Amino acid sequence: MEISLDGKVALVTGASRGIGKAIAASMAEAGAKVMLNSRKQDALEAAAAEMTGEVDVFAANAGDDDAGQRAVQATIERFGGLDILVNNAATNPYYGPTMGVDKSRYDKTFQVNLDAPIFWTQAAYEHAMKDKPGVIINIASVGGLRAESGLGVYNLTKAAIIHLTRQLAGEIGPNRVVGIAPGLVQTDFAAYLVDNFGESLAARLPLERLGDPQDIANLAVFLASDQASWITGETYVIDGGAGVAGSGG
């Protein structure tokens, strides 16, 4: 099966590194025109320079009130439309017990991880997908499905993203809204977890390795493609078997 995104236009948040960068590069390689978004212009330009295909960049903090509106409009002006939105940008300024979080870091986590996907999707829907249905891909986390020490606040946002995916799929069909819930992936964002727990976790996984950003990108490209045209409302776990580790004989 050949997966093609020819003729599609994608906008990917948090696209200068890690999972977002891999998704943007893979979508461009599959034929899509891709707008990369993250906070820093220089990081975006460096990422875009490594990609093949037609790409451009739009620097903005995903959590800013009007960032989604501006990025969507810039994408439409640059590429003539918008067919795919990947809500990938995330932050995690607090690691510790849920009852210990301060209001500032709590608000920041929700602003980027939940508010941004809602309002970026709203902008994509109003300016492009209301008249020409497209695909929204929300990057969640297995932490949105399982309790984890130290990540309670972050995981609250990811649990909400999983529910948002189902909610919007019912509200804005025939647009498709799908989610991806990665386990521990080797990225700069997850460096603390990878450095401190990665080796021991990988040893317990059925597939005996941590995730790579490309693992997530491969699934994202499929879900964005016409081959996935009867898939909506669901969030797909991709975690190397972490959810079943220890259940063998």
Side-chain angles (χ1 to χ4, degrees):
M1 179 175 64
E2 182 178 349
I3 298 176
S4 172
L5 298 180
D6 285 347
K8 306 291 187 183
V9 176
L11 170 58
V12 183
T13 69
S16 64
R17 60 181 185 169
I19 290 172
K21 180 181 175 182
I23 290 174
S26 296
M27 288 188 171
E29 187 175 357
K33 299 174 182 179
V34 183
M35 183 69 81
L36 283 66
N37 159 260
S38 75
R39 293 182 298 117
K40 297 180 179 179
Q41 182 76 20
D42 57 346
L44 283 169
E45 291 176 354
E50 298 177 16
M51 299 181 187
T52 59
E54 193 169 351
V55 301
D56 206 341
V57 303
F58 184 86
N61 187 327
D64 288 350
D65 287 347
D66 64 345
Q69 292 284 342
R70 292 187 290 115
V72 166
Q73 290 172 347
T75 302
I76 293 170
E77 290 172 7
R78 173 66 176 83
F79 293 127
L82 178 62
D83 304 287
I84 303 160
L85 171 64
V86 181
N87 289 310
N88 168 73
T91 189
N92 186 26
Y94 175 74
Y95 182 86
T98 303
M99 292 292 93
V101 69
D102 56 275
K103 186 67 162 58
S104 176
R105 284 184 287 181
Y106 176 91
D107 287 346
K108 181 66 174 179
T109 307
F110 273 78
Q111 180 186 28
V112 176
N113 296 6
L114 182 58
D115 294 4
I118 291 174
F119 291 108
W120 283 64
T121 300
Q122 184 182 79
Y125 179 70
E126 291 295 335
H127 292 293
M129 297 182 183
K130 182 183 287 186
D131 298 320
K132 182 187 177 186
V135 182
I136 308 295
I137 299 177
N138 294 322
I139 306 302
S141 169
V142 294
L145 299 164
R146 309 165 190 166
E148 295 177 303
S149 176
L151 294 170
V153 175
Y154 175 82
N155 287 341
L156 281 172
T157 66
K158 293 305 184 177
I161 283 292
I162 292 169
H163 185 76
L164 178 67
T165 297
R166 296 186 64 84
Q167 185 71 31
L168 291 181
E171 289 188 10
I172 64 172
N175 290 280
R176 295 193 299 109
V177 188
V178 292
I180 299 175
L184 187 55
V185 177
Q186 298 181 87
T187 64
D188 291 342
F189 182 79
Y192 176 83
L193 297 176
V194 171
D195 292 345
N196 289 278
F197 309 109
E199 187 174 342
S200 60
L201 175 59
R204 298 196 304 269
L205 294 177
L207 298 186
E208 299 180 345
R209 70 174 177 88
L210 299 182
D212 182 86
Q214 192 61 48
D215 295 317
I216 314 306
N218 293 341
L219 179 55
V221 171
F222 168 71
L223 290 173
S225 74
D226 292 341
Q227 279 83 354
S229 62
W230 208 46
I231 297 175
T232 194
E234 299 301 328
T235 294
Y236 294 86
V237 171
I238 176 168
D239 67 353
V244 299
S247 63

